[in-house]
Amino acid sequence: MGGYYQVPVGYKFRPSEEELFLHYLLPRLNREDYPKGVVPDCDLYGTKEPWEIWRDFHHSSPDDQEDIYVFTTLKKKTPNGSRFCRTVGAAGTGVWKGEDSGKKIRACGSNIGIRKRFRYMNPGSPHDDRWIMHEFQLDESLLRVRNKETIVLCLVRKKETPGKRKFEELQNHEDVPPRGEIQAQHVHDDQQHHIGPSTYDQLRVLDLMNYVEGEDNMVNPTLLAQYDQQEHLGTSTDDQLIRFLEDYLVDVEQN
């Protein structure tokens, strides 16, 4: 096994999904050599909350917005079961809530694993919905060494970024009224009209769309395709598109 590898000062660790699978997770699980120290072991389902783990990684620069990458071991709810426990922290009030069933990742024409997305939920906590995690699990067909434990590679992202703050500013923008039943003045006919929550969402979508177009001169095509597909199926909502746009702006800030 090789020694620990240290990322030179000034370099950013921003691997592709394929690189995470083939150069880190695959050799780790097959007990082969890989760059040590870049992706350390960390118990994401232990007594520490996401922000405490984040602080441990960024103790020298607490305002650092870089994603963190770790290996973690999934813990089964029951010894003979197939479901994993997703609760977090000593109190057990936080949970990594799954947002999708997983996306297959391919390389060289073959499936190499699956990526799942999670969001930290802890109602009543200031950190509720402030953390995102991507979990990478290797396809079992690539394993040459059978492990008793299920080890995955995880990316943990702090959602409270400049992108998030930009969106909070948009929420307070004078052209977009607060959520709920509100009243708006219209010059035309000197009449007052009530704007309900659904109309609010439509206005907020338009404002966010305009902001994205103004920042990047284009709207993320994958994001809109996902929304259009839901709209075609009749399952889309303005609130869902708002969530897509919010996540897109956060990704823009991270990249």
Side-chain angles (χ1 to χ4, degrees):
M1 291 290 204
Y4 281 82
Y5 178 81
Q6 294 183 347
V7 178
V9 175
Y11 280 73
K12 302 297 183 183
F13 184 62
R14 293 181 178 174
S16 65
E17 293 178 340
E18 180 179 333
E19 290 169 340
L20 287 174
F21 276 109
L22 300 182
H23 297 280
Y24 291 91
L25 190 55
L26 175 62
R28 164 64 190 272
L29 297 184
N30 284 331
R31 300 175 188 173
E32 299 172 349
D33 193 22
Y34 66 94
K36 304 298 191 304
V38 180
V39 182
D41 291 339
C42 179
D43 187 0
L44 294 181
Y45 298 100
T47 58
K48 287 190 175 182
E49 300 281 1
W51 60 91
E52 294 174 315
I53 295 173
W54 185 272
R55 186 174 55 209
D56 290 343
F57 276 80
H58 296 301
H59 62 276
S60 59
S61 55
D63 293 329
D64 196 340
Q65 298 296 325
E66 284 297 305
D67 299 336
I68 59 176
Y69 297 83
V70 299
F71 292 114
T72 197
T73 300
L74 300 183
K75 303 172 182 178
K76 290 185 177 181
K77 287 189 172 183
T78 59
N80 298 321
S82 59
R83 299 181 64 186
F84 297 107
C85 181
R86 298 289 181 178
T87 55
V88 181
T93 56
V95 63
W96 284 109
K97 182 177 177 59
E99 293 199 309
D100 58 23
S101 59
K103 174 186 176 182
K104 290 183 178 180
I105 306 300
R106 297 176 61 84
C108 302
S110 301
N111 290 329
I112 58 176
I114 188 170
R115 183 204 69 204
K116 294 182 179 179
R117 178 186 169 103
F118 296 82
R119 186 180 299 271
Y120 177 77
M121 305 300 291
N122 192 348
S125 167
H127 292 274
D128 179 51
D129 199 21
R130 293 291 188 174
W131 300 89
I132 293 170
M133 179 175 69
H134 291 177
E135 179 185 280
F136 302 91
Q137 186 171 0
L138 192 70
D139 191 282
E140 290 187 356
S141 65
L142 299 178
L143 292 175
R144 292 197 296 272
V145 177
R146 294 301 169 186
N147 297 279
K148 293 181 179 180
E149 299 176 324
T150 301
I151 299 174
V152 295
L153 193 158
C154 295
L155 174 161
V156 178
R157 172 170 298 166
K158 188 177 183 182
K159 189 180 176 184
E160 189 176 13
T161 62
K164 177 69 178 179
R165 287 195 297 271
K166 283 179 182 177
F167 263 166
E168 291 172 344
E169 291 173 1
L170 283 176
Q171 284 185 301
N172 296 325
H173 193 277
E174 61 181 3
D175 292 333
V176 182
R179 182 179 290 274
E181 186 71 326
I182 58 176
Q183 192 177 62
Q185 294 285 345
H186 288 266
V187 176
H188 181 65
D189 293 334
D190 292 327
Q191 294 180 344
Q192 291 185 336
H193 300 279
H194 290 282
I195 298 179
S198 61
T199 306
Y200 161 84
D201 286 336
Q202 294 169 2
L203 289 173
R204 189 163 170 232
V205 165
L206 290 173
D207 203 21
L208 284 169
M209 292 280 284
N210 290 335
Y211 181 80
V212 171
E213 291 177 336
E215 283 289 296
D216 299 283
N217 297 319
M218 65 175 293
V219 178
N220 188 315
T222 303
L223 180 116
L224 290 183
Q226 184 179 0
Y227 178 73
D228 288 341
Q229 182 180 19
Q230 288 187 323
E231 187 174 40
H232 178 71
L233 296 175
T235 60
S236 66
T237 65
D238 290 320
D239 191 59
Q240 287 174 326
L241 181 55
I242 289 169
R243 173 65 64 84
F244 292 152
L245 289 170
E246 289 178 350
D247 289 342
Y248 172 62
L249 286 178
V250 171
D251 289 339
V252 167
E253 288 298 326
Q254 291 290 343
N255 298 322

